[in-house]
Amino acid sequence: MDAKTRPEEVRFDIEFAPSKRPDDRRRGGWVTFPFIAGNLVFMTIAMGGATTNLIVYLIQKSGMKSIDAAQISNIVNGCVNLTPIVGAIIADSYFGCFSVVAVASFISFLGMVLFTLTASLPSLHPHQCPNASTSTVACGPSTSQMAVLYSALALMVIGGGGSRFTNATLGADQFSIARDQNVFFNWYFVVFYVSYIIGSTVIVYIEDNVGWGLGLGICAVANAAAMVVLLIGRRFYRVTKASGSPFTGLVQVMVASTVKWGMDKEGAEYYYGSKLDGRSPPSRSFRFLNCAAIKVQGDTHSDGTVAKPWRLATVEQVENLKALIKIFPLWSSSPLLSITIGIQLSMTVLQALKMDRHIGGTFSIPPGTVPITSMASVALTLPLLDRAVYPAFQRHMGRTPSPLQRLGVGHILNFIGMGGSALVERARLRSITAHGPGPAHLTSVLWLLPPLVVLGAAEALHFPAQVGLYYQEFPEALRGTSTAMIALLIAIGFYLSTAVVGLVRRTTDGCRTISTPGGSTKCTGCWRWLG
């Protein structure tokens, strides 16, 4: 991307016109968008319908405790956001994007089918406890049933997560112009959020009100449709061959600098590879890494190619690693934001299970769809920011907000949203303490929605801002990887949120006995009121 086309200035305009480039007449271009977007739509609907309601499924069908189900859900969400990194490395290094997306879609389909069977076949899920207070809670699962369940979740995570960002890279590869690539990414995220909302509302409603087997079966069918749509467009794709993962070069720099540690840098001859222009010496920051680019006898062949790749790296590779090190402090602080998102997603479902979800006396909001309020807020806020807020900022300030500024505002809104969620939970606990957990005294689930709207607006600011910031700050050779690094941040946040939930659980799970209006006593440990 050149300096004139920054990520924050890209608009949501799209022209389905044929490309004028000779190499795009047969393959690539906007003609591929319906197939790639179709794969994204069906895959996202399938994954949204299967994972959004996972906590409820684990509680009602697998007989798990609520907090255990929340922690497993956080682990699954973390893995879904970790596997894109693995998929990107495999695609770059060995097989290319199309092959990885196709195989990942098939693996996810196998997981969806197996997950559907766990809900449909009586032998694969626990039977109802004869002494249970409600018929919707199952006994604890057996070891074999848990093995099948975990296998299904693992296949879904590997397939669904492995195709997500690789699908985006496959779409961007279809365009040669930076503007077209940026427009594609904008619409990619819009399609992703809308599809996720559909899967997390319509499919979840079917699971809760019609049957788990039917709901998960629809997810499996959608996954199959994703494979079919992707393969139908095969003859239109511009397939980019694997050129090697940029991570390999970074590791080579670390190994080579270690091997040549302490080598005299004064008057040293540095290796630039095949690059002919801009042969400036390595920067003086992190000078210990410059050793990796010092060329000594035996490091190269007579034609100038590298003879010992683990003893010699190019100056460009050294500078790429330095750029990552410089941005690492900011990158390493981002998981703290993801922790709040992970906790909010899981705790909101548990709160909704213990709140009044009825609207109009008959309709009941499925607990698994409540967090979708945040996703809907993101989907509505993104176009609003792009079409109204940023242009107004441009008119009054003469420039659009920088990614770092948007990231800061997103942090502030996230703080406000989490504070609002804490106040709602405090009021809910006070109501239960004063009146008991009876249905007549349950707090309305609608109180959870305003904080979620604020958190969604925060995500619309800080999530794209991180993508734009890393895209600008990362070296050019690593800009494709920079977008996938966001998934890694989210994964780390989900894993850490599981640890935070476990810590709070151990700290606050003590029993404090109170008297209820009926004259009985009740344990008020923090997690007792969540089931």
Side-chain angles (χ1 to χ4, degrees), residues 89 99 122 131-132 170 177 182 187 208 226 236 241 275 278 287 332 355 405 452 470 484 490 498:
I89 293 175
S99 299
N131 296 326
L170 175 64
I177 303 174
N182 293 324
W187 282 100
D208 285 348
F236 298 108
K241 296 182 179 179
K275 188 175 182 180
R287 294 186 60 194
S332 61
M355 300 178 76
Q405 290 173 330
L452 290 175
Y470 295 147
I490 298 174
T498 302

Side-chain angles (χ1 to χ4, degrees), residues 27-57:
R27 293 180 179 270
W30 286 110
V31 69
T32 63
F33 183 80
F35 304 103
I36 295 174
N39 175 266
L40 174 65
V41 167
F42 289 117
M43 284 293 296
T44 306
I45 288 176
M47 288 297 295
T51 59
T52 301
N53 216 20
L54 182 59
I55 293 179
V56 180
Y57 179 86

Side-chain angles (χ1 to χ4, degrees), residues 319-347:
E319 294 303 317
N320 288 346
L321 181 58
K322 290 180 180 180
L324 294 183
I325 294 175
K326 290 176 182 178
I327 204 172
F328 180 77
L330 176 62
W331 182 88
S332 61
S333 65
S334 298
L336 298 176
L337 189 64
S338 299
I339 290 176
T340 62
I341 296 175
I343 293 177
Q344 182 74 21
L345 290 176
S346 57
M347 292 300 104

Side-chain angles (χ1 to χ4, degrees), residues 151-166:
S151 298
L153 293 177
L155 291 172
M156 288 165 49
V157 164
I158 294 172
S163 66
R164 180 176 298 176
F165 280 89
T166 309

Side-chain angles (χ1 to χ4, degrees), residues 11-226:
R11 296 287 176 255
F12 284 80
D13 51 346
I14 179 172
E15 297 179 0
F16 286 90
S19 174
K20 297 181 180 180
R21 292 176 175 268
D23 58 341
D24 290 344
R25 290 177 180 174
R26 290 188 176 182
R27 293 180 179 270
W30 286 110
V31 69
T32 63
F33 183 80
F35 304 103
I36 295 174
N39 175 266
L40 174 65
V41 167
F42 289 117
M43 284 293 296
T44 306
I45 288 176
M47 288 297 295
T51 59
T52 301
N53 216 20
L54 182 59
I55 293 179
V56 180
Y57 179 86
L58 294 176
I59 294 173
Q60 294 184 354
K61 298 294 290 186
S62 296
M64 294 186 183
K65 295 181 179 179
S66 59
I67 302 303
D68 294 332
Q71 290 181 306
I72 291 176
S73 177
N74 284 341
I75 293 174
V76 169
N77 283 313
C79 291
V80 167
N81 289 283
L82 183 63
T83 47
I85 295 293
V86 180
I89 293 175
I90 294 175
D92 289 340
S93 304
Y94 303 105
F95 303 111
C97 293
F98 172 78
S99 299
V100 170
V101 174
V103 172
S105 299
F106 178 72
I107 293 175
S108 177
F109 172 70
L110 295 179
M112 290 290 177
V113 171
L114 189 58
F115 196 30
T116 303
L117 293 178
T118 63
S120 303
L121 299 181
S123 59
L124 293 182
H125 62 260
H127 299 289
Q128 302 299 325
C129 291
N131 296 326
S133 59
T134 172
S135 60
T136 60
V137 178
C139 297
S142 65
T143 302
S144 60
Q145 290 169 341
M146 289 300 298
V148 175
L149 175 62
Y150 287 151
S151 298
L153 293 177
L155 291 172
M156 288 165 49
V157 164
I158 294 172
S163 66
R164 180 176 298 176
F165 280 89
T166 309
N167 181 298
T169 305
L170 175 64
D173 288 343
Q174 308 308 311
F175 307 98
S176 302
I177 303 174
R179 177 183 176 278
D180 290 337
Q181 294 173 346
N182 293 324
V183 172
F184 167 80
F185 278 123
N186 283 337
W187 282 100
Y188 176 89
F189 283 111
V190 172
V191 169
F192 170 78
Y193 278 115
V194 173
S195 303
Y196 194 88
I197 291 171
I198 294 174
S200 302
T201 53
V202 177
I203 304 299
V204 169
Y205 182 83
I206 294 174
E207 291 169 350
D208 285 348
N209 295 276
V210 181
W212 286 98
L214 177 60
L216 295 176
I218 294 176
C219 293
V221 172
N223 202 144

Side-chain angles (χ1 to χ4, degrees), residues 385-427:
L385 291 172
D386 186 81
R387 286 299 185 180
V389 177
Y390 295 156
F393 195 92
Q394 173 74 34
R395 288 192 300 268
H396 290 87
M397 304 298 296
R399 58 181 177 83
T400 56
S402 68
L404 196 58
Q405 290 173 330
R406 286 182 285 157
L407 185 62
V409 175
H411 276 274
I412 294 174
L413 290 181
N414 192 79
F415 173 78
I416 295 174
M418 290 301 298
S421 296
L423 292 176
V424 171
E425 175 62 9
R426 182 181 181 182

